[in-house]
Amino acid sequence: MYLHGTSVINKAGRLEIGGCDAVELADKFGTPLYVFDEELIRRRCREFMEAFRATGMKFEVAYASKAFCVMAMCRIAEEEGLSLDVVSDGELYTALRAGFPPGRIHFHGNNKTPEEIEMALDAKIGCIVVDNFTELYLLSETAKAKGAVMNVLFRVTPGVEAHTHEFISTGQTDTKFGFDIGNGSAFRSVREAMELPNVRILGVHSHIGSQIFEVDGFRLAAERVAEFAQTVRQELGITFPVINLGGGFGIRYVEEDRPLPLAQYVQAITEAIRTLFARYEYPLPEIWIEPGRSIVGDAGTTLYTIGSSKTIPGVRKYVSVDGGMTDNPRPALYDAKYEAMLANRALEPVEETVSIAGKCCETGDMLIWDLELPKTQPGDTLAVSCTGAYNYSMASNYNRLRRPAVVFVKDGAADLVVRRETFEDVAGKDLLPERLRKQPVANS
Ligand SMILES: *Cc1c(COP(=O)(O)O)cnc(C)c1O
């Protein structure tokens, strides 16, 4: 397994993250356990911020909180100077509760409810990324009723397909997200918004996909967006002060993945925007981006305890852990690949090839196929790396499993940032209608 961030193998031959022995963490907090390397999260934030500062351009780096949205993470994003993207009332609530400055919050989503729009207006967040006409008019009416004005970006689909897994491409024309540039609906959205005094047009937003390993898609999107901005300026007389090129910067899940240094994505994007807008003699806009996965992905490691195993002679050996698709649905959803190691015997030689199964009642509940490990035993601690993004945030209670705890480790200290769920968390919201309650047995 590739060791990310502060991860090392310590003198005891065990995995250590943020100066904390992984086996001790598993003992203390129980498994499954999400462990986050705080230093690495901060390093990733700084890589983006410093790359932008070096350009001298105006910018905002908004952490796409859907990748991992808990109060402690919102605080780190704030401390590192990032803005924050939310896509639901629950994420907005989490950010506000963590004290995140509302003016630096951006609200996304293709079906914001009337309640969510009210909540965003009441909180006076920085901007709403408008996705469709229904929302544009709902926002306008709601803002008018409240005597408020809201900044907006228009989410446009530039018709760029990023080279990535089909399920996570969103820049192409046939998608539920955004206004299409090609068919004129993006242009119409701006023209109609100009008539709405309670929305203030900031600019356009494009997000072309996820886990992208090359800069070409971003360059192409920048071209389409710049061309669109120029058309709008010429025909409607509006100059956008902001261009947002979204997130999707790839990370290294497995050995074969070859992501670019984060600064390289920033350089490509800023250079493209600078050149394109100069060509149109267009005032240089602020550039915003929205990394999610690349901020938290490789900072997360999930610890499991190994339990049962099953050997099918001539076929394979299944080794089961005490979590699975409930804490990491990505292998089942996207066929995502992960690396792992035995945290308690990290230096022992490889002795067997096993496939790691979760404990849920689904044949598809597999975490890793054909993983090379030392001879495994029940009680071993398995560490799966790169689980920081879209694991906790996509976790479920399938089979009524309790969602794991989350700890942040740094300089030898481990802090619980989400406690493990209890049975009360799992069943305590259930209600029994009177007619289904067990009647006391009558004495005869
Ligand atoms: C999901 C999403 C992001 C973040 O994507 P990552 O792949 O996690 O960087 C950014 N912007 C929008 C609009 C998104 O939907």
Side-chain angles (χ1 to χ4, degrees):
M1 182 181 98
Y2 179 79
L3 293 174
H4 298 265
T6 67
S7 292
V8 291
I9 308 302
N10 65 19
K11 289 203 191 79
R14 295 163 160 190
L15 174 64
E16 185 177 297
I17 310 168
C20 296
D21 184 296
V23 180
E24 286 171 20
L25 292 174
D27 286 345
K28 178 165 182 197
F29 297 102
T31 56
L33 179 69
Y34 297 110
V35 180
F36 279 80
D37 179 346
E38 182 177 333
E39 194 56 47
L40 186 53
I41 299 177
R42 291 183 185 275
R43 199 187 299 166
R44 296 294 180 229
C45 293
R46 286 170 199 171
E47 281 177 57
F48 281 117
M49 298 296 282
E50 280 160 21
F52 267 110
R53 281 194 199 106
T55 68
M57 298 167 91
K58 284 195 181 155
F59 69 94
E60 263 186 57
V61 177
Y63 166 59
S65 75
K66 70 176 197 257
F68 171 60
C69 185
V70 304
M71 293 206 305
M73 185 56 217
C74 294
R75 296 286 310 122
I76 289 180
E78 184 191 347
E79 284 184 7
E80 296 297 334
L82 277 67
S83 301
L84 201 78
D85 276 6
V86 298
V87 297
S88 74
D89 47 8
E91 288 180 357
L92 177 56
Y93 175 81
T94 305
L96 295 173
R97 184 166 165 152
F100 198 91
R104 278 160 50 191
I105 298 177
H106 314 153
F107 203 137
H108 277 277
N110 65 301
N111 187 22
K112 301 177 190 78
T113 64
E115 295 77 19
E116 285 175 326
I117 285 176
E118 283 207 24
M119 190 173 169
L121 285 163
D122 291 344
K124 300 186 165 53
I125 68 163
C127 86
I128 289 186
V129 183
V130 175
D131 196 275
N132 53 69
F133 288 102
T134 317
E135 178 189 340
L136 177 62
Y137 286 99
L138 177 63
L139 170 61
S140 165
E141 291 301 309
T142 316
K144 192 165 152 195
K146 290 181 182 289
V149 176
M150 178 55 74
N151 292 325
V152 300
L153 293 178
F154 297 93
R155 177 160 184 168
V156 300
T157 44
V160 176
E161 238 175 293
H163 291 177
T164 181
H165 199 289
E166 197 187 354
F167 293 143
I168 33 187
S169 294
T170 50
Q172 77 275 31
T173 297
D174 186 7
T175 157
K176 71 171 183 174
F177 291 113
F179 300 97
D180 197 53
I181 292 182
N183 71 13
S185 78
F187 182 83
R188 194 156 62 84
S189 71
V190 181
R191 196 182 60 206
E192 294 189 20
M194 288 171 70
E195 310 294 322
L196 307 173
N198 300 84
V199 303
R200 183 187 297 126
I201 299 170
L202 275 192
V204 282
H205 167 280
S206 123
H207 173 72
I208 55 170
S210 244
Q211 187 60 355
I212 300 166
F213 286 149
E214 45 192 285
V215 296
D216 297 354
F218 293 104
R219 283 211 189 99
L220 201 54
E223 251 171 60
R224 301 275 167 83
V225 163
E227 200 183 336
F228 174 67
Q230 173 68 352
T231 306
V232 165
R233 188 162 79 128
Q234 284 176 330
E235 299 193 16
L236 301 175
I238 285 196
T239 306
F240 295 140
V242 174
I243 299 294
N244 185 329
L245 286 179
F249 316 106
I251 66 165
R252 178 180 192 164
Y253 281 101
V254 292
E255 196 66 36
E256 306 85 79
D257 290 338
R258 289 281 172 274
L260 299 170
L262 300 180
Q264 225 159 299
Y265 293 104
V266 173
Q267 282 152 13
I269 287 171
T270 51
E271 269 164 37
I273 295 284
R274 201 195 284 277
T275 315
L276 291 158
F277 282 76
R279 188 182 300 160
Y280 295 128
E281 295 178 25
Y282 195 110
L284 189 60
E286 272 185 43
I287 302 179
W288 294 6
I289 59 164
E290 310 173 316
R293 187 190 314 275
S294 51
I295 297 280
V296 289
D298 58 359
T301 302
T302 309
L303 303 179
Y304 301 95
T305 301
I306 287 177
S308 319
S309 62
K310 168 185 172 176
T311 303
I312 309 171
V315 181
R316 71 172 67 250
K317 179 173 177 183
Y318 287 93
V319 168
S320 298
V321 295
D322 53 355
M325 64 190 294
T326 38
D327 59 79
N328 184 0
R330 296 191 65 259
L333 268 179
Y334 307 116
D335 199 21
K337 303 284 184 281
Y338 287 90
E339 290 183 346
M341 72 193 295
L342 282 192
N344 55 324
R345 295 189 281 124
L347 292 174
E348 288 189 17
V350 167
E351 263 191 73
E352 56 182 10
T353 300
V354 302
S355 292
I356 305 297
K359 67 180 266 104
C360 298
C361 273
E362 282 281 334
T363 303
D365 178 25
M366 294 296 299
L367 289 176
I368 303 176
W369 293 97
D370 302 324
L371 173 69
E372 296 190 325
L373 287 180
K375 190 118 189 101
T376 57
Q377 288 157 9
D380 278 335
T381 306
L382 185 80
V384 178
S385 61
C386 255
T387 58
Y390 307 104
N391 276 223
Y392 174 78
S393 64
M394 286 185 150
S396 78
N397 290 116
Y398 180 51
N399 291 160
R400 290 232 140 169
L401 296 188
R402 288 161 288 167
R403 270 177 286 221
V406 184
V407 294
F408 277 18
V409 292
K410 185 173 186 286
D411 302 329
D415 293 304
L416 199 58
V417 302
V418 181
R419 66 158 173 79
R420 183 176 307 282
E421 287 185 343
T422 61
F423 288 128
E424 185 59 22
D425 291 324
V426 170
K429 298 182 289 290
D430 294 10
L431 301 170
L432 274 177
E434 187 65 43
R435 69 195 154 74
L436 293 179
R437 287 189 199 150
K438 267 192 115 161
Q439 304 304 321
V441 182
N443 283 330
S444 56

